[in-house]
């Protein structure tokens, strides 16, 4: 988190090598509002911000996964309703593991 003009802003810093690997591997954390957010890399679930049935806005934080000593907050790309949360705090996940599944937007 960074502080900018009195506001807290979440940022994710990705080095060039990681960006290239993600591009080649086709890593996509969110498959849309009626899709499943998956772990972009192996890691440990630090925080889960949502519960099933919760309406979320585009850009809302869903899950924080720690990988290689970096916290990665996975966010919703579109508004939708959480259908299922597949993980809990403290759980170790592999790359591609489902984290949160969305139902249709209401």
């Amino acid at each position: 988190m960074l502080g900018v003009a009195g506001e807290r802003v979440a940022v994710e810093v990705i080095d060039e090598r990681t960006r290239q690997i993600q591009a080649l591997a086709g890593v996509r954390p969110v498959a849309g509002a009626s899709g499943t957010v998956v772990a972009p890399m192996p890691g440990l679930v630090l925080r889960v911000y949502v519960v099933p049935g919760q309406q979320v806005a585009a850009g809302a934080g869903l899950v924080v996964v720690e990988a290689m000593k970096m916290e990665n907050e996975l966010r919703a790309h579109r508004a939708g309703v959480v259908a299922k949360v597949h993980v809990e705090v403290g759980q170790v996940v592999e790359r591609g593991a489902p984290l949160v599944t969305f139902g249709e937007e209401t």
Side-chain angles (χ1 to χ4, degrees), residues 8 65 94 101:
R8 290 181 61 150
V65 177
E94 295 298 322
T101 298

Side-chain angles (χ1 to χ4, degrees), residues 56-74:
V56 295
L62 304 171
V63 177
V64 176
V65 177
E66 179 184 44
M68 301 180 348
K69 299 184 182 180
M70 296 288 295
E71 291 187 10
N72 301 289
E73 182 174 51
L74 303 172

Side-chain angles (χ1 to χ4, degrees), residues 13 27 34 53 102:
V13 178
V27 173
S34 61
F102 282 91

